[in-house]
């Protein structure tokens, strides 16, 4: 780890200034992912700006219309345990409650979870100068790729690592970003950037921006859930994950939002699955058709073809639990 200055910001404006003053300074929330980066020499900043001392960014506020305002410093454990979130947006509570281990969830923040970098073993090893580090090759293509993507790959094939991002896209959340040029609000569905646009970043957060709020619209009348399959149930990133939200009209599904996790470089919305559900009853025939629709267009690499079958199993389980 390089020597760096630790600066504790007491306001968003101060964090922005501290960030802007030194080139390559970085922000720290819970520090779970950032410390890995420091220890593995993936970043060597002259200054780390700690956000944890900023008051007011660690609260969940229920809006009068049923929506949520979530501060980026709210921990994963807080989101998972919050009775209001569990009732109004269960898929978000489930996704946060299943991430990592209880110890990590007590420290890791929802903002840091969304903004964590990929877990690809080539990216994480200092020795490999991959596309994500400004190199010109994705080592997963001709190498070890059993955890990599089956959708949206190229030129980089690392899957998006965040549990929380998957239901946030499904619920149509927005992110408030505060930077030197002012504040902007970006839809979660637009925030994540595929590697074809920029292989070095997973999202459009600018170097001078701080994520200051997550807004989740009301989900009254929707049934939703997040499910995942992992190698180990204890603490592990998912092999495949899905957040599904459906709104019924009579016996049929009127609207559906389906977002897949761990299978693409960004949370992967699946319009094909949504179309397979809309206008149909959530019965076995519809569920089977939706599971088949989920894998259309899948392009597995040499060692991750198993994800195609696993995704169908997951979709069936997830939809059966909603039915
Ligand atoms: C053993 C293990 C298992 C794990 N399993 C899972 C899993 O199953 N699912 C899952 O989703 N995650 C998993 N994780 C990852 C973990 O959840 C994330 O590393 C953690 O959520 C990051 O949050 P943090 O607050 O510690 O972020 P930090 O490490 O502090 O920050 C992460 C990144 O976000 C940036 N950042 C943080 N907050 C802001 C902000 N407000 N504005 C702008 N930039 C910001 C930082 O600069 C940094 O680049 C696991 C981690 C470990 C070690």
């Amino acid at each position: 780890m390089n020597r760096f200055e630790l600066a504790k910001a007491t306001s968003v404006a101060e964090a922005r200034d501290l960030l802007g003053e030194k080139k390559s300074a970085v922000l720290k929330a819970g520090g779970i992912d950032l410390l890995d980066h420091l220890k593995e020499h993936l970043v060597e900043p002259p200054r780390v700006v700690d956000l944890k001392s900023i008051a007011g960014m660690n609260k969940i506020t229920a809006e009068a219309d049923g929506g949520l305002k979530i501060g980026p410093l709210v921990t994963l454990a807080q989101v998972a345990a919050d009775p209001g979130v569990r009732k109004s947006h269960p898929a978000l509570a489930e996704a946060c409650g299943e991430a990592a281990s209880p110890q990590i969830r007590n420290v890791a923040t929802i903002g840091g979870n969304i903004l964590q970098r990929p877990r690809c073993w080539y990216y994480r090893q200092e020795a490999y100068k991959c596309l994500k580090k400004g190199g010109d090759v994705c080592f997963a293509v001709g190498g070890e790729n059993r955890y990599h993507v089956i959708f949206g790959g190229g030129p980089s094939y690392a899957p998006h690592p965040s549990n929380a991002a998957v239901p946030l896209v499904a619920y149509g959340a927005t992110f408030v970003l505060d930077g030197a040029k002012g504040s902007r609000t970006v839809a979660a569905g637009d925030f994540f950037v595929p590697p074809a646009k920029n292989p070095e970043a997973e999202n459009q957060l600018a170097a001078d921006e701080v994520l200051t709020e997550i807004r989740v619209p009301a989900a009254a009348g929707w049934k939703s859930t997040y499910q995942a399959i992992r190698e180990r149930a204890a603490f592990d990133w998912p092999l495949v994950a899905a957040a599904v939200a459906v709104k019924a009209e009579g016996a049929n599904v009127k609207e559906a939002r389906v977002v897949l996790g761990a299978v693409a470089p960004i949370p992967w919305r699946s319009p094909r699955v949504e179309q397979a559900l809309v206008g149909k009853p959530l019965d076995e025939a519809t569920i089977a058709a939706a599971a088949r629709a989920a894998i259309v267009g899948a392009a597995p690499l040499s060692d991750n073809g198993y994800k195609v079958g696993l995704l169908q199993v997951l979709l069936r389980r997830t939809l059966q639990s909603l039915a």
Side-chain angles (χ1 to χ4, degrees), residues 203-225:
N203 56 63
Q204 51 160 292
L205 185 84
D208 66 355
E209 283 181 320
V210 183
L211 169 65
T212 56
E213 194 168 79
I214 299 158
R215 295 183 184 154
V216 195
W222 289 77
K223 271 185 169 183
S224 55
T225 187

Side-chain angles (χ1 to χ4, degrees), residues 109-159:
T109 65
I110 187 166
N113 185 270
I114 295 162
L115 298 166
Q116 65 177 302
R117 304 298 315 273
R119 297 307 301 187
C120 171
W121 34 40
Y122 297 109
Y123 168 69
R124 294 275 160 173
Q125 289 236 0
E126 192 190 350
Y128 290 92
K129 190 155 193 291
C130 73
L131 277 170
K132 292 229 157 271
K133 291 180 276 190
D136 51 15
V137 61
C138 176
F139 293 96
V141 176
E144 297 278 345
N145 52 45
R146 64 180 177 277
Y147 299 128
H148 288 72
V149 306
I150 56 172
F151 295 108
S156 161
Y157 290 80

Side-chain angles (χ1 to χ4, degrees), residues 77 97 99-108 234-235:
S101 63
Q103 292 87 344
I104 292 171
R105 292 196 292 274
N106 281 334
V107 176
F235 59 90

Side-chain angles (χ1 to χ4, degrees), residues 240-290:
V240 292
V244 179
V246 292
K247 198 173 197 176
E249 188 173 56
N252 289 347
V253 173
K254 187 181 170 207
E255 284 179 73
R257 294 180 69 102
V258 178
V259 182
L260 309 176
V263 291
I266 57 173
W268 193 250
R269 182 128 182 229
S270 180
R272 281 181 203 277
V273 180
E274 294 172 1
Q275 280 157 21
L277 296 171
V278 170
K280 314 256 173 43
L282 207 48
D283 59 14
E284 275 308 312
T286 306
I287 290 173

